[in-house]
Amino acid sequence: MANAQQTIFEKTNGRETATYFEVIDYYTSLAKKSDIIKLETKGLTDSGYPLHLILISNDKQFDPEVWHKLNKIVLMINNGIHPGEPDGIDASMMLVRDIINKKVSLPDNVVIGLIPVYNIGGALNRSGFSRVNQEGPLEYGFRGNAQNRDLNRDFTKNDTKNAQSFAEIFHYLNPDVLVDTHVSDGADYQHTMTLITTQYNKQGPLLGAWVKKTYEPALYQGMKNKNHDMVHYVNVDGTDPSVGFNQFNDAPRYSSGYAALFNTISFMPETHMLKPYKARTESTYDLLITLIETNARFAKELKEIRKKAIENTIRQQEFPLSWKLDPNQFTNITFKGYEPGIRISKVTGLPILYYDHSKPFTKQVKFFDVYNAQNIVNRPKAYVIPQGWWKVIDILSLNKVKMKRLENDSVIEVTSFRIENLKSMPNSYEGHHKNTKVEGSWTKEKIQFLKGDYLIDVNQESNRYIVEMLEPMGDDSFLSWNFFDGIMQAKEYYSDYRWEPVAEKFLEENPALRAELEKKKKENSEFANSSSAQLNFVFINSPWYEPTHKRYPVFRIEQ
């Protein structure tokens, strides 16, 4: 290998990682030397720099639509979402070089779309101190992007230009398999490479079962053949993994959970932070090769199963909005760890957990890998969204959701949802306050919509994304990310002295409401002793109460 093609990682014997500009210069040089790769620029990021996309294909064909027509497996690799975890950045540089130099075989039925550095702003914010839990490299980027957002929480809310540009690339590639490279944090153990596979049940009964039975075991065997003892992601934090652990429940905010909404098989390798950087990067390199090999081996089967999964999504009638771990179902896996212990801290003088490297162990542990569907909803025929909610419309459009606009003002019978209660996070989380525990009531009513409002038929490949984002109780829905907070505040109010005589006359004309008021007073002494509560009760049951207050502005047209 020519010395000029050595990476910074190799020149420093695994002690350093390339800077963002060194990465781009390296790929630019490779693209000039080989006609099987193409370097493209896509949308901007918050840093002001565009995302780059590396396309690799033996037949020198760089159109993803053509790739799919030729039944090639499209492998998408995303690196540097957390630039303090740069293993994939350096591993991919070596991989692409070795492919063009024929050191690594890229089968004709596999093509690659690779983002060399996703979080450019974080990559530019380099130091050697932001990852105190991590063993090397000497300097690296920062977890937050140019807006200080964690990009691996932004795939559904799309606050950042990075996420918006990623969505463009993702749908441009329509990958069969996505791998998003990371470094772990948490417990200590012997394994260098751990792997998050998108939770099987979320992938659906066809695709998820096939991944668990066929594809994933081939990955593990492929890594074993390369002398890597890969294990499932150790989903514990500072406790004893030998008692067993759960498969990671990757919500749609994460890259793998987001990709699953579009029937893309997704993996998140998490190398162990306390292993030397050289070993971590080499294991990532070998995993990428193993993914290529596995894709080639199962290309025909994978294409057929994914096609059927997409067809099933179009026909699917019921959609779960959340998932709950089944504590009674598990798989036994081999885990190599260290005995945990308690010692007295020399800093605090108090007991603290540690892992005793003089006491390694190999045990069979329980891996809880079954989640049961919760909060299941029937799909509607369509959703209607007033055009005023353009931020939501823009994100739906970005994700290739097919929408129509009403050609005329129209009265439509819909099912509407009125929010009666929800719990909002008191503190900011990734620039939002998350809404949870949403409660409310559904009502059939006829509502006036305007010309230009949006109609979304639920008969398309993105059905899962549509339902999970638009249903008010979805774990990572637009409501959960407080996109609709404007409806939670009433815009018109009254003065008690002015409303009281109007309310008196209204009750005289509506004896049923008067009876309901009296009943509530008898049942609730606090209500009976509150003039304002009683006046408000009458108000919200009167025509003067604004109908949009707490009415969720996404409406269902039922089947």
Side-chain angles (χ1 to χ4, degrees), residues 90-350:
D90 289 307
S92 292
M93 293 167 70
M94 296 186 293
L95 175 71
V96 175
R97 178 203 62 208
D98 291 347
I99 287 174
I100 68 173
N101 288 332
K102 309 296 185 184
K103 181 180 177 182
V104 170
S105 173
L106 180 66
D108 289 339
N109 60 357
V110 178
V111 289
I112 297 173
L114 184 152
I115 298 177
V117 182
Y118 177 41
N119 181 356
I120 299 171
L124 296 175
N125 185 10
R126 281 171 72 97
S127 77
F129 299 101
S130 64
R131 298 274 297 178
V132 68
N133 286 353
Q134 187 170 289
E135 187 65 33
L138 294 178
E139 282 191 348
Y140 39 81
F142 183 64
R143 186 179 186 91
N145 87 325
Q147 281 193 48
N148 203 36
R149 301 294 178 101
D150 187 334
L151 294 180
N152 205 29
R153 309 293 186 273
D154 198 34
F155 285 96
T156 54
K157 57 188 177 67
N158 286 115
D159 285 333
T160 62
K161 290 181 180 179
N162 300 65
Q164 294 163 19
S165 297
F166 181 94
E168 177 189 349
I169 292 172
F170 179 84
H171 292 288
Y172 170 66
L173 293 174
N174 183 18
D176 299 292
V177 179
L178 168 70
V179 56
D180 186 6
T181 58
H182 288 253
V183 179
S184 75
D185 213 340
D188 194 5
Y189 41 80
Q190 299 176 50
H191 304 274
T192 298
M193 174 63 74
T194 73
L195 186 67
I196 294 175
T197 302
T198 292
Q199 209 288 312
Y200 312 118
N201 303 98
K202 286 184 177 182
Q203 291 275 23
L206 186 65
L207 195 58
W210 182 78
V211 169
K212 183 177 183 178
K213 180 182 178 181
T214 302
Y215 190 101
E216 189 184 62
L219 281 184
Y220 278 82
Q221 185 60 51
M223 287 294 280
K224 186 175 182 181
N225 294 342
K226 297 176 181 64
N227 298 315
H228 295 288
D229 210 0
M230 187 166 72
V231 72
H232 292 280
Y233 174 64
V234 184
N235 190 22
V236 297
D237 184 15
T239 55
D240 182 3
S242 68
V243 300
F245 46 90
N246 308 334
Q247 186 175 21
F248 185 67
N249 184 13
D250 48 352
R253 74 192 70 170
Y254 304 108
S255 62
S256 54
Y258 166 82
L261 297 180
F262 302 96
N263 289 294
T264 292
I265 299 171
S266 310
F267 299 99
M268 202 178 287
E270 296 264 5
T271 55
H272 188 237
M273 73 281 186
L274 293 179
K275 301 301 183 288
Y277 184 58
K278 188 173 189 294
R280 299 198 325 255
T281 301
E282 289 171 348
S283 69
T284 302
Y285 174 91
D286 283 343
L287 177 61
L288 295 177
I289 293 175
T290 304
L291 281 159
I292 292 171
E293 295 169 345
T294 306
N295 287 334
R297 176 182 172 189
F298 294 107
K300 186 174 184 295
E301 198 173 347
L302 195 163
K303 278 291 187 182
E304 291 174 351
I305 289 176
R306 184 169 182 243
K307 180 181 178 182
K308 291 178 182 177
I310 292 170
E311 291 170 350
N312 288 346
T313 297
I314 296 172
R315 295 191 300 264
Q316 187 174 335
Q317 295 299 316
E318 294 183 336
F319 290 84
L321 300 179
S322 57
W323 300 85
K324 185 177 181 181
L325 183 73
D326 189 329
N328 300 312
Q329 297 194 61
F330 56 87
T331 303
N332 287 309
I333 63 172
T334 301
F335 177 70
K336 297 182 177 181
Y338 301 109
E339 293 289 348
I342 299 294
R343 63 175 175 81
I344 300 301
S345 167
K346 293 181 180 180
V347 176
T348 68
L350 299 172

Side-chain angles (χ1 to χ4, degrees), residues 63 84 243 408 426 477 503:
D63 184 344
V243 300
N408 301 291
S477 68

Side-chain angles (χ1 to χ4, degrees), residues 58-71:
N58 277 343
D59 63 6
K60 306 168 191 177
Q61 169 59 252
F62 302 111
D63 184 344
E65 286 191 13
V66 174
W67 287 349
H68 286 288
K69 288 178 182 177
L70 295 174
N71 286 319

